[in-house]
Amino acid sequence: MNSPSAAHHRAFDEHSRLQSKPQTLDDIYGEPENFLEIEVKNPQNHGLARKMFTDYEIVCRTNIPAFKLKNSSVRRRYSDFEWFRDVLERESSRVNIPALPGKVFTNRFTDDVIEQRREGLERFLQIVAGHPLLQTGSKVLAAFIQDPSFSKDYYHY
């Protein structure tokens, strides 16, 4: 004999599932609603002796409106990142800006040192570029990441 609670339980199970439509390939493999991919790669050394420096390629793929370009690639050196971090800190007192990888004074052009710095710069950019308050409030964020003709002199900080 069926008890009323068993019948109620069975009826509830039949009607409680959410109706979902089958996923299309576009649903599965298509572009997510908001995405931001940032890579720091291809370090290159320039100059000689005491004038030597390394710069890094910043590759950005995104559909977030704060960024003007869906795909971009620019080159920046460590001193540019130092300036950028300093500006972000002054622009946004409500956001804790992460540290950059530390300054290196010896053997700074070895592959290991350059790779550690590249990884640290990439982590730094992924954090700051992904922060909603910086995306909407920073005057320099998108330009630093995307504008090949970016110049610190243009921003009077």
Side-chain angles (χ1 to χ4, degrees):
M1 181 172 158
N2 286 341
S3 71
S5 64
H8 173 74
H9 185 68
R10 219 175 18 256
F12 182 78
D13 283 345
E14 290 168 8
H15 300 292
S16 65
R17 288 203 175 176
L18 291 175
Q19 298 300 315
S20 63
K21 64 180 177 77
Q23 282 190 314
T24 66
L25 287 177
D26 216 31
D27 293 336
I28 298 167
Y29 297 108
E31 193 175 274
E33 193 170 313
N34 282 319
F35 76 93
L36 173 64
E37 295 173 5
I38 294 198
E39 275 182 285
V40 175
K41 60 187 204 175
N42 299 332
Q44 292 178 356
N45 294 328
H46 303 272
L48 297 169
R50 296 174 61 85
K51 299 277 188 204
M52 199 164 166
F53 67 92
T54 305
D55 70 6
Y56 303 83
E57 181 182 10
I58 300 170
V59 176
C60 178
R61 289 176 291 280
T62 186
N63 64 358
I64 294 175
F67 297 92
K68 291 180 176 47
L69 303 170
K70 286 187 177 292
N71 298 291
S72 62
S73 172
V74 298
R75 296 200 72 82
R76 302 284 182 257
R77 54 191 291 185
Y78 184 81
S79 59
D80 296 329
F81 278 87
E82 289 179 309
W83 175 89
F84 176 55
R85 184 187 183 282
D86 187 49
V87 169
L88 287 178
E89 225 167 29
R90 282 186 271 152
E91 274 186 338
S92 48
S93 58
R94 296 184 356 219
V95 179
N96 186 12
I97 307 298
L100 290 169
K103 268 262 192 226
V104 178
F105 297 100
T106 57
N107 302 322
R108 64 186 181 147
F109 297 105
T110 64
D111 290 347
D112 286 348
V113 168
I114 289 172
E115 176 56 17
Q116 282 183 328
R117 179 171 274 183
R118 184 205 65 74
E119 289 173 3
L121 293 174
E122 184 173 87
R123 268 193 312 277
F124 168 80
L125 272 188
Q126 288 171 344
I127 292 167
V128 298
H131 198 292
L133 289 177
L134 296 177
Q135 285 175 3
T136 56
S138 173
K139 292 176 179 62
V140 299
L141 176 73
F144 182 83
I145 291 172
Q146 295 194 307
D147 186 353
S149 59
F150 173 83
S151 168
K152 296 183 273 195
D153 300 333
Y154 178 78
Y155 299 89
H156 305 287
Y157 285 97

